[in-house]
C-alpha cells in the first residue's frame, strides 16, 4: 500500500554518494602515495650516492700509491675488494693521463670510460638504469688520477617498486575496510531512520498510518489527480459513542476495539486505498481506486455495513456504529483544505442525522456549518452582552390546581435574529462545550429568582433546572451546584435537576454515583423526556429519582390514541410503584388534562396551563395564587 519510490531514489543517491566518497578518498591516498614514493626515491638515491662516494674515496685513497708508482697490480688488488659490494657492476682507476691503470668488471658489464668534465664536476651522474660515481685521487693537491664506479639501479627500482606495491596494498586494504565499515554504519543508520520514520508516521494502537502520514498521502494522491486526472474520494469515519466503551470497559479494551475495527475496515478496502487513524476514534480513508462518486459511496456503505457484526472483547459483544462523511476531489472542491473540511462537515451531518449513517458532502452543508460557527461565536459573546434570559414555565399539581414548581428554560434574545429557542442553540452549545458555563449561568439565575420568591414567602415552590450531558461530566459539578445553593440561600430541597432519560442511561454507573451525591445533599432529581430512552425498570430502580416527566410525544395523542394512552398509564403505574412522582409535559388541551387527572398523574406542565414566561410575569401569577390562598385560609379560620 505504501509508495516507496522516493525511498528507492534516496537509496540510489546514497549509493552514488558512497562511491563518490570512495573515489575522493582513493585519489587522496594516491596523491599521498605518489609524494611518499618520490620522497622515497630521492632519499634512497642520495643514500646510494653517499654510500658509493665513501666506497669511491676508500678506493681512491688506497690506490694513490699504485698511481704514484704506476703499479696496475696493486691497483687491481685494491679494486678486487669490490667483489663484496654486489651493487657495483664495474669500476676503473684511471691515471691522470687518462690511461686505465686497473679495471674491475662483473660478467657482462660494460667497463667505465674516463669521466667527462660534467661528471668530474658533480661527482655522480644518473641514468634510468645506472649511476656513475667519479672520485679524483689526489696527493698533496696534485691529481694522480680518477676512480670511477658504475652501479646498477635495478635494486633501487625493485625497492621502489616494492614500496609502491606495499603502499598500494595498504591503501586498497584500508579503503576496503573503511568502505565495509561505512556501508555497515550506513545500513544501521538507514535502518534506524526507517524505523523512526515508521514511528513518526504510524499509529501505535492500530498500526495504521497516522494523521501526519495522512496529510502527506492525501497531498500525494491529489497531486497525482492534478497530473494524470481521475478522482480521489475522501471519507471521514467517526465511531459513535466510542467514549462510552472507553468509560465502561477501560482504555485498554478501547484500544483493543480500535484495533479490531481497523482490521475489519482494512479488509474492505483495495490495496490502492489508504486508511489512516487521524484521531481518537476517527479514521480517514483516501479512495484512489474509485472512478466515480457512486463507487466511493458504495465503499462508504460497505464500511458502514462491515461494522454491523458485533466485536467480541472478553466474551462481551460490542455493537459499534460509525458516522461517515464523503467528499470527492476534484468534484466538490479543488482545494486540499476544503476537501478535508467538506468530509468533516458531511461526517458531522451524518452524526446529527442520528449517527450510524453516511452523508455525501453537499454545498448546503457548508452554509449550515458556517451558520453554526457564526452562531457558536455569537453565543460566546451572548453571555457577556447580557443577551440570555431565563423563562419559567409553571408545573401545576393536579390535586390542588396550584403552581407547585417552575421549570427554568433558557432563551436567547439575539439583537438581530430576535428570540432564539433552545432547540437551535443548545445542541451547538453542547458540542462546543459552551453549555458548561451556560448551564451554570442558568442555575445561578434560576436560584437567584427562587431566592427572591422565597423572600416573598413562596418557599414551597420547586425550581426545576435542566442539566446537559456535558455538565454531568464536569468533575466540579456537584460542588458548583452546592455552592450556588449556599450563595443564594435556596434550600436544596427546592431545587429539582432534570436529566433526560437518554443521558441517564448512557453511563449508568457514573450517573448513579453522581445522583446519589446530589440526593444526599437534599437536591431533587427528575428524569426528563421519559419514554424515549428505552430504559428498563431494573436500571431505573438504581437511580435515586423523585420525579418522572412523561415525554410530550406521548401526551400529544391523548386521549384519542390508544397506544399513547397505554404508554402513559403504564408509566404512571410504574413510577408510582417505585414511589416516584409523575409530571406530564406538553399538555395543550383540557381533554389531555382530564385524562391525566383520571389516571393519577401528579403534575402537569404545558401551554394549556401556562407557557414559559419571564420571571416578573410568573411573580404576578404566584402572588395572585399566594394572596388567594391567604384569603382562603383566613376565611377558613373565621
Ligand atoms: P425540556 O426540558 O423537555 O423542556 C420542555 C420544552 O417543552 C420547552 O421547550 C418548553 O417550552 C416546551 N413546552 C412546554 N409546554 C409545551 C406545550 O404545551 N407544547 C409544546 N409543543 N411544547 C411545550 P424549550 O424551552 O424550547 O426547550 C427545549 C429543550 O431545550 C428543553 O426540553 C431542554 O431539554 C433544553 N433546554 C432549555 N433550557 C435549557 C437549559 O437551561 N439547560 C439545558 N441543559 N437544556 C435546556
Ligand atoms: Mg426539562
Ligand atoms: Mg422534557
Amino acid at each position: 500500500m505504501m509508495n516507496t519510490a522516493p525511498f528507492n531514489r534516496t537509496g540510489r543517491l546514497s549509493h552514488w554518494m558512497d562511491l563518490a566518497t570512495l573515489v575522493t578518498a582513493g585519489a587522496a591516498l594516491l596523491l599521498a602515495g605518489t609524494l611518499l614514493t618520490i620522497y622515497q626515491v630521492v632519499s634512497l638515491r642520495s643514500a646510494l650516492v653517499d654510500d658509493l662516494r665513501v666506497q669511491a674515496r676508500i678506493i681512491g685513497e688506497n690506490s694513490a700509491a699504485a698511481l704514484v708508482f704506476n703499479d696496475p697490480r696493486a691497483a687491481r688488488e685494491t679494486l678486487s675488494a669490490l667483489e663484496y659490494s654486489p651493487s657495483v657492476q664495474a669500476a676503473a682507476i684511471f691515471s691522470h693521463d687518462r690511461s686505465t691503470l686497473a679495471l674491475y668488471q662483473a660478467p657482462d658489464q660494460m667497463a667505465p670510460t674516463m669521466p667527462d668534465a660534467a661528471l668530474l664536476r658533480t661527482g655522480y651522474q644518473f641514468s634510468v638504469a645506472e649511476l656513475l660515481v667519479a672520485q679524483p685521487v689526489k696527493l698533496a693537491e696534485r691529481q694522480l688520477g680518477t676512480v670511477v664506479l658504475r652501479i646498477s639501479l635495478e635494486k633501487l627500482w625493485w625497492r621502489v617498486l616494492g614500496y609502491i606495491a606495499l603502499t598500494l596494498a595498504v591503501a586498497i586494504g584500508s579503503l576496503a575496510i573503511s568502505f565495509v565499515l561505512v556501508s555497515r554504519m550506513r545500513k544501521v543508520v538507514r535502518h534506524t531512520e526507517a524505523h523512526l520514520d515508521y514511528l513518526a508516521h504510524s499509529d501505535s494502537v492500530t498500526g495504521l498510518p497516522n494523521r501526519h502520514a495522512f496529510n502527506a498521502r492525501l497531498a500525494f494522491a491529489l497531486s497525482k489527480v492534478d497530473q494524470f486526472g481521475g478522482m480521489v474520494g475522501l471519507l471521514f469515519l467517526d465511531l459513535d459513542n466510542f467514549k462510552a466503551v472507553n468509560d465502561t470497559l477501560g482504555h485498554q479494551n478501547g484500544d483493543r476495539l480500535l484495533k479490531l475495527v481497523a482490521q475489519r475496515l482494512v479488509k474492505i478496502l483495495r490495496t490502492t486505498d489508504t486508511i489512516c487513524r487521524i484521531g481518537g476514534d476517527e479514521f480517514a480513508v483516501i479512495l484512489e481506486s474509485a472512478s466515480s462518486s457512486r463507487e466511493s459511496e458504495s465503499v462508504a456503505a460497505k464500511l458502514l455495513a462491515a461494522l454491523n457484526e458485533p466485536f467480541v472483547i472478553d466474551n462481551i459483544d460490542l455493537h459499534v456504529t460509525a458516522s461517515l462523511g464523503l467528499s470527492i476531489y476534484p468534484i466538490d472542491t479543488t482545494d486540499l483544505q476544503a476537501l478535508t473540511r467538506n468530509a468533516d462537515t458531511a461526517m458531522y451531518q451524518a452524526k446529527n442525522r442520528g449517527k450510524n449513517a453516511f452523508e455525501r458532502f453537499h454545498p448546503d452543508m457548508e452554509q449550515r456549518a458556517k451558520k453554526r460557527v457564526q452562531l457558536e461565536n455569537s453565543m460566546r459573546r451572548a453571555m457577556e452582552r447580557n443577551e440570555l434570559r431565563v423563562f419559567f414555565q409553571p408545573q401545576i399539581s393536579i390535586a390542588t390546581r396550584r403552581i407547585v414548581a417552575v421549570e427554568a428554560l433558557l432563551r436567547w434574545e439575539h439583537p438581530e435574529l430576535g428570540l432564539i429557542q433552545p432547540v437551535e442553540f443548545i445542541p451547538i452549545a453542547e458540542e462546543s462545550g459552551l453549555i458548561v458555563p451556560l448551564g451554570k449561568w442558568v442555575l445561578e439565575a434560576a436560584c437567584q429568582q427562587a431566592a427572591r420568591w422565597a423572600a416573598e414567602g413562596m418557599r414551597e415552590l420547586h425550581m426545576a433546572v435542566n442539566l446537559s450531558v456535558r455538565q454531568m461530566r464536569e468533575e466540579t459539578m456537584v460542588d458548583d451546584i452546592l455552592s450556588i445553593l449556599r450563595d443564594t440561600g435556596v434550600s436544596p430541597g427546592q431545587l429539582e435537576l432534570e436529566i433526560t432519560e437518554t443521558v441517564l442511561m448512557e453511563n449508568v454507573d457514573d450517573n448513579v454515583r453522581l445522583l446519589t451525591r446530589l440526593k444526599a445533599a437534599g437536591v431533587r432529581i427528575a428524569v426528563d423526556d421519559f419514554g424515549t430512552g428505552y430504559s428498563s425498570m431494573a436500571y431505573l430502580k438504581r437511580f435515586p429519582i423523585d420525579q418522572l416527566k412523561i415525554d410530550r410525544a406521548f401526551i400529544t395523542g391523548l386521549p384519542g390514541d390508544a397506544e399513547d394512552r397505554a404508554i402513559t398509564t403504564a408509566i404512571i403505574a410504574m413510577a408510582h410503584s417505585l414511589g416516584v412522582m409523575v409530571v406530564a409535559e406538553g399538555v395543550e388541551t383540557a381533554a389531555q388534562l382530564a385524562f391525566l387527572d383520571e389516571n393519577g398523574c401528579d403534575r402537569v406542565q404545558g401551554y394549556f396551563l401556562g407557557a414559559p414566561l419571564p420571571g416578573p410575569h410568573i411573580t404576578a401569577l404566584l402572588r395572585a395564587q399566594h394572596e388567594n390562598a391567604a384569603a382562603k385560609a383566613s376565611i377558613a379560620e373565621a
Side-chain angles (χ1 to χ4, degrees), residues 393 407-411 421-423 426 430 435 438-439 442 465-468 471 498 500 528-529 549 551-552 585-588 605-608 610-612:
Q393 187 177 29
E407 178 176 7
L409 293 161
L410 191 57
R411 298 289 180 269
Q421 299 297 321
V423 272
I426 294 273
E430 296 232 9
I435 191 73
L438 220 61
V442 172
V465 178
N466 293 287
L467 276 192
S468 100
Q471 280 173 285
E498 293 195 1
T500 64
D528 207 350
D529 302 346
K549 298 186 78 177
D551 195 75
R552 198 166 66 225
E585 290 187 297
V587 179
E588 293 181 346
Q605 178 182 348
Y607 296 158
F608 184 66

Side-chain angles (χ1 to χ4, degrees), residues 185 280 335 419 480:
M185 203 150 75
D335 176 62
L419 202 66
D480 287 348

Side-chain angles (χ1 to χ4, degrees), residues 194-309:
H195 190 63
L196 286 176
D197 187 77
Y198 172 80
L199 289 181
H201 289 86
S202 69
D203 160 48
S204 58
V205 174
T206 59
L208 294 179
N210 62 11
R211 180 177 278 279
H212 193 60
F214 163 72
N215 289 334
R217 288 186 192 191
L218 184 62
F220 186 59
L222 299 193
S223 71
K224 272 202 300 196
V225 171
D226 290 344
Q227 252 181 302
F228 308 113
M231 58 174 68
V232 169
L234 178 62
L235 264 173
F236 273 7
L237 182 153
D238 189 286
L239 299 182
D240 302 326
N241 307 328
F242 178 72
K243 199 189 166 297
V245 175
N246 255 348
D247 286 349
T248 49
L249 300 180
H251 283 268
Q252 218 169 352
N253 284 323
D255 284 356
R256 277 167 74 191
L257 178 64
L258 282 174
K259 199 170 173 180
L260 292 176
V261 168
Q263 281 166 357
R264 203 180 281 180
L265 296 180
V266 164
K267 278 196 204 130
I268 306 293
L269 300 170
R270 298 190 193 163
T271 47
T272 41
D273 300 332
T274 313
I275 177 161
C276 311
R277 181 175 171 226
I278 55 170
D281 57 354
E282 270 179 72
F283 296 85
V285 185
I286 304 168
L287 297 168
E288 293 193 64
S289 61
S291 55
S292 68
S293 43
R294 173 124 3 121
E295 237 178 285
S296 294
E297 283 167 26
S298 92
V299 175
K302 276 188 211 158
L303 290 172
L304 209 58
L307 300 175
N308 273 344
E309 280 287 301

